[in-house]
């Protein structure tokens, strides 16, 4: 009976100071490991979320650029009293008329792509548009709306696939001349001088590349305006 009473007294005393300190040390280590694991998970999650957001943004940019460029039309205006196409492209600029507008849905607009520089040396692609009126030779277009399509890149460039001019195109189709000429990728292209619209346009930024074929009926555009003038 006496031994049983002593055992009960020992059990009722609780933890000793040493046992309490050891328990608190173990608990602190578990909390530290948990906090570190949660911090690591949060960092990885934010990185993945940021990467996902960047991919979504690039996809939106791709869709907008594809719609704008693929909907370029062979707009004809007068140069020295002769009908010419309105399209010009350099590695850092592009001017044309498109039927796929960002700010004026279902309306043709004159637009401009420009590669601009940030202060840190990175580049961005600026899109500008204006409601389409009658474009005349030497006219300065006042663009009323603008949007950044490629927000940040190390390099952005345009290239155009097309014929040197309409004469080269016609000679390639003439069996008598057998010129063997072919359209080429060109850094710069001016449809006003070549009198022929490009066949395809490429947009490069960093490791991304967009190849957009041109779908238009440029021959009939010049024919219609010529017929109207002869009436």
């Amino acid at each position: 009976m006496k031994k049983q009473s002593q055992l009960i007294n020992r059990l009722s005393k609780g933890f000793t100071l040493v046992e309490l300190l050891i328990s608190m040390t173990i608990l602190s280590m578990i909390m530290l490991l948990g906090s570190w694991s949660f911090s690591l998970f949060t960092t990885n999650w934010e990185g993945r979320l940021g990467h996902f957001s960047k991919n979504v943004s690039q996809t939106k940019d791709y869709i907008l650029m594809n719609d704008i460029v693929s909907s370029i039309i062979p707009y004809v205006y007068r140069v020295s009293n002769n009908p010419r196409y309105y399209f010009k492209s350099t590695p850092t600029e592009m001017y044309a008329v498109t039927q796929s507008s960002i700010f004026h849905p279902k309306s043709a607009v004159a637009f401009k792509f420009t590669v601009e520089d940030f202060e840190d040396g990175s580049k961005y692609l600026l899109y500008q548009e204006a409601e389409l009126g009658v474009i005349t030779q030497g006219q300065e277009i006042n663009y009323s709306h603008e949007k950044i399509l490629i927000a940040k890149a190390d390099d952005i460039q345009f290239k155009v696939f097309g014929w040197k001019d309409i004469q080269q195109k016609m000679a390639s189709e003439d069996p008598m001349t057998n010129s063997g000429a072919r359209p080429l990728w060109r850094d710069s292209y001016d449809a006003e001088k070549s009198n022929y619209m490009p066949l395809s346009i490429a947009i490069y930024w960093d490791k991304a590349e967009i190849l957009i074929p041109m779908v238009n009926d440029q021959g009939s555009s010049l024919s219609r305006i010529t017929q109207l003038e002869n009436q």
Side-chain angles (χ1 to χ4, degrees):
M1 188 68 180
K2 186 177 181 181
K3 290 182 178 180
Q4 185 177 2
S5 178
Q6 290 176 349
L7 179 61
I8 292 173
N9 290 334
R10 286 179 58 191
L11 293 174
S12 63
K13 289 181 179 178
F15 294 105
T16 65
L17 180 59
V18 174
E19 291 173 335
L20 183 60
L21 290 174
I22 292 174
S23 300
M24 290 181 65
T25 302
I26 295 173
L27 181 60
S28 299
M29 292 176 64
I30 293 174
M31 292 179 65
L32 180 62
L33 287 172
S35 176
W36 176 78
S37 299
F38 180 75
S39 176
L40 185 62
F41 169 78
T42 303
T43 302
N44 289 338
W45 171 254
E46 289 178 349
R48 292 179 180 179
L49 185 61
H51 184 67
F52 174 76
S53 299
K54 182 179 180 181
N55 286 340
V56 171
S57 178
Q58 284 187 343
T59 301
K60 289 181 178 179
D61 292 344
Y62 171 86
I63 293 173
L64 287 173
M65 287 187 293
N66 185 79
D67 289 345
I68 293 167
V69 175
S70 63
S71 299
I72 288 177
I73 60 176
Y75 181 85
V76 179
Y77 73 120
R78 304 196 66 81
V79 176
S80 301
N81 208 33
N82 295 311
R84 291 290 185 268
Y85 291 118
Y86 181 76
F87 179 90
K88 185 176 182 179
S89 177
T90 69
T92 58
E93 289 184 327
M94 183 182 296
Y95 305 82
V97 173
T98 181
Q99 288 182 318
S100 182
S101 163
I102 296 179
F103 301 100
H104 301 87
K106 299 181 180 180
S107 298
V109 297
F111 79 90
K112 175 184 178 182
F113 280 144
T114 311
V115 179
E116 303 284 354
D117 294 321
F118 285 117
E119 292 183 357
D120 61 0
S122 62
K123 301 180 184 299
Y124 65 94
L125 180 62
L126 180 65
Y127 166 83
Q128 296 173 288
E129 72 172 44
E131 291 186 84
L132 183 62
V134 178
I135 298 177
T136 58
Q137 183 179 8
Q139 175 187 353
E140 183 176 346
I141 298 176
N142 295 317
Y143 299 99
S144 56
H145 298 77
E146 62 181 40
K147 177 180 175 60
I148 294 177
L149 290 183
I150 300 176
K152 195 176 183 67
D154 293 329
D155 188 39
I156 305 172
Q157 288 189 13
F158 303 112
K159 282 193 175 183
V160 176
F161 185 70
W163 296 94
K164 178 182 177 181
D165 50 40
I166 186 64
Q167 288 77 18
Q168 185 187 57
K169 171 71 166 56
M170 294 175 64
S172 70
E173 298 174 345
D174 188 350
M176 300 296 293
T177 58
N178 192 25
S179 66
R182 295 182 180 181
L184 301 172
W185 282 106
R186 305 176 188 277
D187 292 329
S188 300
Y189 195 90
D190 190 344
E192 176 186 316
K193 296 178 179 179
S194 66
N195 207 21
Y196 203 80
M197 289 291 287
L199 304 176
S200 185
I201 294 173
I203 305 175
Y204 303 92
W205 81 92
D206 293 343
K207 296 182 180 180
E209 177 182 7
I210 304 178
L211 298 177
I212 307 172
M214 303 292 292
V215 180
N216 54 58
D217 188 10
Q218 53 192 356
S220 63
S221 298
L222 282 178
S223 298
R224 282 196 298 271
I225 194 171
T226 303
Q227 290 172 2
L228 290 173
E229 290 174 348
N230 293 334
Q231 289 179 354

